[in-house]
Every structure is written in structure tokens, then in C-alpha cells.
Amino acid sequence: MQMSKKLLFIAASSAFYSCNYCLATELLEAESSISLADQYHQLANQYAQKSSYYNSIATLYESQVLPVTSVNASIFAPLPAKPAYNPWLGSQFGFGAGSASGDTNSSSVNGSAIVNYKPESGAVGWQFNTIGQYDNLQTSGSGSNKNRLYLQQNGAYMYNKYSGIFAQASYLNDANDGYYYVWNENIGYKLQIFNNDLMGLQLALGPGLQQRQVVSTNVASTQPQWLSQATYNLNLSNILTFYEQLQNTAAQNNTTTYSISTLNIQINKNFGIGINYQLTYNSNPPAGNAATTTISSLNIVYGIN
């Protein structure tokens, strides 16, 4: 009997504690749900406060913006327009006097032109270049005049920033080189190593033909030749400009090297003072003619910038 009472008491105690545990669990879950809802309400209130704050700042900023008519109009002036592309950029024309060396020392009056034409801006596309040099040479003490005329025409098409093809023809009539004339025609590959606002360097390589007539024998000939040419230009803030073209023509009987250098100092936007130097070297000149001739001069130069 006493054992039965004990068992009954234990069962009742277990039921009581189970009910309390369930009730406590439900209360905790309810409190947890209430706590999570409170957190969301707090976040919503915070975002609402921030939105009101930013709206107040925007309203204050709008009230401070002045109409254009109430301030200096120069503040709102548009930026200066970029200069239109000039396809003749870098061309120059010179006229001056100087001296020459070779068979005899001479004084000279000369004119020169370097004409660049590029139809479109950018690295790709057509490029054209013309070089002209005329010198009237007067031998010291003799009063005799001699003429020298050099013309060169280049055309190239660049497929990309670095590579292209070219064609070139040149004509030389120099009273001091022993020929009535020298013609060169070439085609080949053009490599643009670099080209920017400061400087540029281009190389041209290719085969061709040369026609010339010797004065002493009156013999005219045509022979194959190979052209190697480097053209370099430097532009320092449009104040100091330098142009150099060095070319070598290798034929069967001789090799001819021609160099033209021009250094210009700008006086104003278009005019400057230039120093022009030409050098011609023939590895096998006709009998009685010097292998090397030079012409130097001081010029007034007009440039297209």
C-alpha cells in the first residue's frame, strides 16, 4: 500500500514538472518571437530616421543652389574646343644661305621644303611626305654658278600602329656628283617604331631600281638597288624642332648615303630660325669627283603647327 502511494506521488511529480517545462518552453518561444519583432521594429525606425535626415540635407542643398544668372557667367563657360585636325601638320618651308664643301668650297643660296600630308588622324591610314632641296652654289673666286636639286616623294599605308607598306621615288641633279641625274624608285615595308606628340621614328626597307647618267662618259644605266631609310622627328613644346632623314641606297657598283638634318628654333607660332645640313656620300664616285659633299645653311623657316 505504501509502495503504491510512492509510485503515485512520483507519477504526479513527473507530470507536474513536464507541464511546467512545456509552459516554460512556450513562454521562451513567445518571448523570442516578441524580441525578434522588436528588433525589426527598431531597424525600421532607424532607416526611417536616416531617410528623413538625408531628405533634409537634399532640401537644404537645393535651397542653396543659385541660378546661373545670379553668378559670374564665366564660371559656367564651356571648355575651349579642341583644335581641328590639320592634315598638313609638321610641314615647313625655308629660305637661306650658307656654304658647301666637296670638289671646291662654295657659297650657296637655297630653298627647302618638307611637306607632310595625312588625310585622317590616328595611326592607321595613308601618309604622304615630300622633300625638296634647291641650292645655287657659287664657287669662291671663279664666279661660276652650279645648281643642286633634290626631290623625294613618299607614300605609305599603315595597316596598324606599327606596320605598313610604302612607295618612294627620288630625283637628284647635282652639279658636283659627276652625274647628270640619279633616279631611285622603291617599294617595301615600313615600320613605325614609335610616334607621339614628342617624337617619332620610322624605318623603311625595300628593293627598287636606279637610273643614272655619268657626265664624263655620257653613259646611262639602270640597275637594281636596295633602300634602307630612317626618319626621325623631335618636337619640344613647339619651340625646338628637329628633323633627320638618313637613307642608304646600295646598288651593284656603289653605295650612296644621303642625310638631311634640320634644326629649328621657333620665334613665334609659325616662323623660326633653322639650321639645315645636307651630306651626300658615294662609295665609288665618277673619276675626278669627291666622295663626300656637304651643304650647310642658316634659314628663315615657316612651319605649319
Side-chain angles (χ1 to χ4, degrees):
M1 186 67 178
Q2 291 179 351
M3 181 64 69
S4 298
K5 289 181 179 181
K6 288 182 179 181
L7 291 172
L8 183 61
F9 176 78
I10 291 171
S13 298
S14 298
F16 175 77
Y17 285 121
S18 297
C19 291
N20 286 340
Y21 174 78
C22 292
L23 180 60
T25 302
E26 291 177 359
L27 289 173
L28 287 173
E29 289 178 352
E31 290 178 357
S32 176
S33 298
I34 293 172
S35 176
L36 187 61
D38 289 340
Q39 291 180 12
Y40 283 126
H41 282 302
Q42 290 176 1
L43 287 174
N45 291 334
Q46 291 177 6
Y47 285 123
Q49 292 174 0
K50 289 182 179 180
S51 176
S52 177
Y53 173 71
Y54 290 131
N55 285 331
S56 299
I57 292 178
T59 303
L60 179 62
Y61 174 78
E62 290 175 354
S63 67
Q64 299 299 318
V65 176
L66 299 176
V68 175
T69 55
S70 65
V71 296
N72 189 347
S74 63
I75 298 176
F76 300 93
L79 295 175
K82 185 178 180 181
Y85 174 70
N86 186 351
W88 304 97
L89 185 66
S91 300
Q92 54 185 257
F93 307 87
F95 177 81
S99 62
S101 67
D103 297 331
T104 58
N105 293 326
S106 308
S107 60
S108 69
V109 176
N110 66 78
S112 63
I114 298 173
V115 181
N116 301 317
Y117 179 69
K118 192 172 183 301
E120 299 179 356
S121 62
V124 177
W126 288 102
Q127 300 176 3
F128 299 96
N129 172 260
T130 302
I131 296 176
Q133 293 281 149
Y134 170 77
D135 298 272
N136 181 270
L137 308 174
Q138 184 174 6
T139 304
S140 304
S142 68
S144 62
N145 292 333
K146 295 181 179 180
N147 296 312
R148 181 184 186 276
L149 176 64
Y150 179 75
L151 299 172
Q152 182 189 111
Q153 177 62 54
N154 301 282
Y157 185 84
M158 302 302 295
Y159 294 110
N160 54 47
K161 185 177 179 180
Y162 301 102
S163 301
I165 58 173
F166 81 96
Q168 174 180 302
S170 66
Y171 169 79
L172 175 63
N173 184 337
D174 189 348
N176 290 328
D177 68 355
Y179 300 101
Y180 284 118
Y181 59 84
V182 179
W183 278 96
N184 288 293
E185 304 92 15
N186 293 87
I187 58 173
Y189 173 72
K190 185 171 185 177
L191 172 64
Q192 187 164 263
I193 297 178
F194 55 84
N195 186 20
N196 52 51
D197 293 337
L198 178 63
M199 65 179 68
L201 178 61
Q202 300 177 340
L203 301 179
L205 304 168
L209 293 174
Q210 182 181 90
Q211 299 87 32
R212 62 190 184 188
Q213 184 175 7
V214 180
V215 173
S216 59
T217 61
N218 207 32
V219 174
S221 63
T222 299
Q223 56 185 333
Q225 45 91 345
W226 179 269
L227 174 71
S228 303
Q229 183 184 86
T231 303
Y232 174 78
N233 63 278
L234 174 68
N235 186 0
L236 295 177
S237 302
N238 292 327
I239 297 175
L240 180 67
T241 60
F242 176 74
Y243 179 91
E244 164 68 26
Q245 186 181 91
L246 178 65
Q247 72 173 33
N248 181 272
T249 305
Q252 181 179 358
N253 299 325
N254 69 336
T255 298
T256 304
T257 301
Y258 174 64
S259 170
I260 175 173
S261 306
T262 302
L263 177 65
N264 295 330
I265 300 175
Q266 294 298 112
I267 299 175
N268 57 32
K269 181 181 179 181
N270 296 110
F271 286 94
I273 298 175
I275 299 174
N276 184 279
Y277 183 77
Q278 303 172 55
L279 182 145
T280 304
Y281 171 75
N282 191 336
S283 65
N284 184 26
N289 293 96
T292 303
T293 60
T294 64
I295 300 175
S296 56
S297 62
L298 184 66
N299 298 344
I300 296 296
V301 179
Y302 174 81
I304 300 177
N305 299 316

